């Protein structure tokens, strides 16, 4: 059983590993601008209280996603690599 879990984790991470070299896409720039704005507006508490919004309000409340984006942007300092590492690790753990 333990070996099967490890095999699924490794297979999942391997499947998503090519994304580690990718650039940011689709809504990434908008979400990062939102996170930057919220951080400047009120720091972590603004992120926790904020709606997860795109061009128009969505009605979604996703503070963990926004905090993850903030931490990845701090770590990456403009590089997309930490964002992709977070995604690969989360995909592996969810598998």
């Amino acid at each position: 059983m333990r070996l099967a879990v490890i095999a699924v984790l490794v297979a999942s991470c391997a499947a998503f590993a090519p994304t580690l070299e990718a650039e940011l896409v689709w809504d990434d720039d908008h979400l990062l601008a939102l996170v930057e704005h919220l951080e400047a507006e009120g720091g972590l508490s603004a992120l926790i209280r904020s709606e997860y919004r795109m061009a128009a309000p969505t009605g979604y409340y996703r503070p963990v996603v926004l905090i993850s984006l903030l931490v990845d942007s701090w770590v990456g300092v403009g590089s997309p690599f930490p964002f992709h590492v977070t995604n690969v690790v989360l995909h592996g753990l969810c598998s």
Side-chain angles (χ1 to χ4, degrees):
M1 174 71 174
R2 186 176 186 182
L3 185 58
V5 170
I6 292 171
V8 169
L9 174 69
V10 170
S12 176
C13 289
F16 287 96
T19 66
L20 295 173
E21 298 175 6
E23 294 298 317
L24 298 176
V25 296
W26 194 49
D27 62 352
D28 295 335
D29 291 330
H30 175 79
L31 287 172
L32 292 176
L34 170 65
V35 167
E36 184 179 309
H37 168 74
L38 291 171
E39 180 188 18
E41 187 179 272
L44 187 59
S45 65
L47 282 169
I48 292 170
R49 293 187 323 266
S50 176
E51 174 186 21
Y52 180 92
R53 58 184 182 254
M54 303 304 288
T58 60
Y60 297 140
Y61 177 67
R62 297 181 175 166
V64 174
V65 172
L66 296 176
I67 291 168
S68 173
L69 291 172
L70 176 66
V71 171
D72 288 342
S73 67
W74 284 343
V75 171
V77 191
S79 169
F81 185 74
F83 298 95
H84 298 311
V85 168
T86 298
N87 285 332
V88 169
V89 169
L90 290 174
H91 275 91
L93 292 174
C94 288
S95 297

